[in-house]
């Protein structure tokens, strides 16, 4: 993806259906909902979060709607005042399953449709999601200004007013990307899903990388195979110790040889060593 973009994340609201809880700070998989969304737009040149200031996993620019609690259109207006890219990704802060792939799909769809002013995610029920969308920044500013002029204010106005006059392209992405957490039942469902067998390892690795400030993409299958070989060929405690040493070796391999390739090469060497240990043991038993 070559589109240069900024991101606006709306993190205000009263969260009445959560009993007034600080929704962006509610944790799913050990990470605040806001941090999960910020990870999904880490490619933005500038990320503006509209809402009360709080600690975040990565640096952001803060803005506040006028009046505070004035609703999504007022929040969007505040965010637009702080961005300067020609394209902006607009997201709500309660999307636990949003990932960078969804953002890329939206941005690519907008870029490919030269006459479009917005690319909106469509949820599984066919509904437009204006808070999971990419917009031409000037078109968005125009519409917000026109709504403010027509109504005399943006406070309390419904979000559906935003896209009535925009030229839209619709994107059907991962159905989970539009799953938002409005109730404690939604939070419970999200927490349960990330612990399912098919999801838990990817979720855990992503959470650890986020916690440690690491943006390295590696083949987890290679590391799991290495851990298995070390446990089988040497001893069970060798599995975590070996993978740690592989990570350390990869970190030492700076420059062009660092990164995922260094992890793969270190894992290959360690796995070969573990297999040699296992072969010697088998020979000893046979002798």
């Amino acid at each position: 993806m070559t589109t240069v973009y900024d991101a606006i994340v709306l993190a205000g609201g009263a969260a009445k259906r959560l009993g007034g809880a600080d929704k962006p700070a509610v944790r799913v998989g050990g990470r605040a909902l806001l941090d999960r969304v910020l990870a999904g737009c880490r490619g933005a040149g500038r990320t503006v979060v509209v809402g009360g200031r709080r600690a975040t996993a990565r640096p952001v620019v803060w803005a506040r709607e006028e009046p505070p609690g004035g609703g999504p259109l007022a929040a969007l207006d505040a965010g637009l005042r702080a961005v300067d890219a020609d394209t902006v990704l607009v997201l709500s802060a309660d999307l636990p399953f949003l990932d960078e792939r969804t953002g890329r799909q939206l941005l690519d769809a907008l870029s490919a449709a030269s006459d479009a002013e917005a690319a909106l995610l469509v949820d599984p029920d066919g509904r437009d999601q204006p808070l999971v969308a990419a917009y031409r920044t000037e078109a968005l500013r125009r519409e917000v200004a026109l709504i403010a002029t027509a109504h005399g204010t943006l406070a309390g106005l419904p979000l559906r007013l935003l896209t009535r006059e925009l030229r839209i392209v619709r994107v059907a992405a991962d159905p989970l990307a539009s799953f938002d957490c409005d109730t404690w039942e939604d939070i419970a469902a999200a927490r349960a899903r990330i612990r399912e067998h098919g999801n838990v390892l990817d979720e855990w690795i992503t959470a650890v990388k986020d916690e440690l400030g690491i943006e390295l993409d590696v083949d987890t299958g290679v590391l799991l195979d290495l851990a298995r070989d070390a446990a089988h060929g040497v001893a069970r405690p060798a599995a975590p110790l070996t993978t740690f040493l592989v990570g350390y070796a990869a970190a030492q391999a700076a420059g062009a040889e660092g990164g995922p390739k260094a992890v793969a090469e270190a894992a290959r060497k360690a796995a070969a060593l573990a297999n040699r240990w296992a072969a010697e043991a088998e020979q000893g038993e046979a002798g």
Side-chain angles (χ1 to χ4, degrees), residues 27 29-32 35 57 204-214:
R27 298 186 182 278
R31 294 189 292 159
D35 283 335
W204 171 246
I205 294 300
T206 299
V208 172
K209 290 194 294 186
D210 190 53
E211 190 74 14
L212 300 180
I214 298 171

Side-chain angles (χ1 to χ4, degrees), residues 103-172:
R104 286 194 296 269
Q105 287 179 280
L106 292 166
L107 293 162
D108 289 347
L110 182 60
S111 178
S114 58
D115 62 336
E117 295 174 317
L120 272 60
L121 187 72
V122 178
D123 72 15
D125 294 323
R127 294 172 298 196
D128 290 344
Q129 299 296 312
L131 296 186
V132 193
Y135 296 88
R136 310 278 185 199
T137 305
E138 285 310 310
L140 193 56
R141 287 190 174 119
R142 179 196 71 218
E143 290 305 305
V144 170
L146 287 172
I147 293 169
T149 299
H151 295 269
T153 182
L154 293 171
L157 294 180
L159 189 60
R160 64 176 179 273
L161 297 175
L162 181 65
T163 56
R164 284 181 174 176
E165 304 299 327
L166 288 172
R167 295 190 298 275
I168 293 171
V169 59
R170 291 172 171 84
V171 177

Side-chain angles (χ1 to χ4, degrees), residues 34-106:
L34 175 57
D35 283 335
R36 295 180 72 92
V37 173
L38 292 178
C41 60
R42 59 164 50 96
R46 175 181 296 177
T47 300
V48 181
V49 178
V50 184
R53 288 176 177 264
R54 67 195 66 233
T56 53
R58 66 180 182 86
V60 299
V61 176
W62 292 97
R64 190 68 177 178
E65 72 273 24
E66 288 294 338
L73 287 177
L76 189 54
D77 181 51
L80 283 167
R81 297 175 189 274
V83 300
D84 53 24
D86 292 337
T87 302
V88 61
L89 191 63
V90 175
L91 305 165
S92 61
D94 60 354
L95 302 166
F97 302 114
L98 182 84
D99 57 18
E100 286 189 278
R101 179 179 55 186
T102 300
R104 286 194 296 269
Q105 287 179 280
L106 292 166

Side-chain angles (χ1 to χ4, degrees), residues 226-228 230-231 235-244:
L226 169 61
R228 180 201 61 209
R236 285 186 178 276
L241 294 173
T242 304
T243 53
F244 166 78

